[in-house]
Amino acid sequence: MPLIRVGGELAYLTAAPLRAEVDRVLADAPRAIMLDFADLHFIDSSGLGVIVHAWREGQEVDTTLRLRAVPRFLATILDITGVAALLDRPLPTTRTVGPGSQQSAATA
């Protein structure tokens, strides 16, 4: 399982390189990827967006996103913003409801 270590400040100026690394790793469609936050000191909305991006893009290629060594402040942010719940569920899929018709299984 590929491991991406995230340290220091994950903010506007540092989010793009992480996003590029996530995209590079997901190009191979591994079964799972691990983001390690052991050395993370700060995160802003840009950083949070990269986590959501990693989950969403991973879902597209059937890759599970796993988080490791999540600091308490990040766990709180993930919880408050609803991202923790998002990470625990798969993307909605389209399912067949009747002959020739499709309905989105998405729920809000």
Side-chain angles (χ1 to χ4, degrees):
M1 170 184 342
L3 172 68
I4 301 173
R5 293 174 196 238
V6 183
E9 295 186 0
L10 182 52
Y12 179 75
L13 294 176
T14 58
L18 176 59
R19 184 179 174 126
E21 179 63 9
V22 164
D23 290 343
R24 186 190 68 74
V25 170
L26 287 175
D28 293 333
R31 292 184 53 93
I33 64 171
M34 178 79 67
L35 297 181
D36 184 324
F37 295 101
D39 297 322
L40 185 71
H41 302 294
F42 175 82
I43 189 169
D44 72 3
S45 61
S46 299
L48 193 61
V50 175
I51 295 170
V52 173
H53 169 79
W55 171 80
R56 184 178 59 242
E57 295 300 311
Q59 292 293 303
E60 294 294 322
V61 295
D62 292 324
T63 298
T64 301
L65 176 64
R66 297 199 174 134
L67 308 183
R68 180 169 83 178
V70 177
R72 182 175 294 219
F73 73 88
L74 178 54
T76 300
I77 291 168
L78 294 173
D79 228 16
I80 290 171
T81 59
V83 173
L86 177 74
L87 296 175
D88 288 336
R89 66 179 187 167
L91 274 176
T93 58
T94 302
R95 61 185 162 99
T96 303
V97 175
S101 68
Q102 290 187 338
Q103 176 181 347
S104 175
T107 58

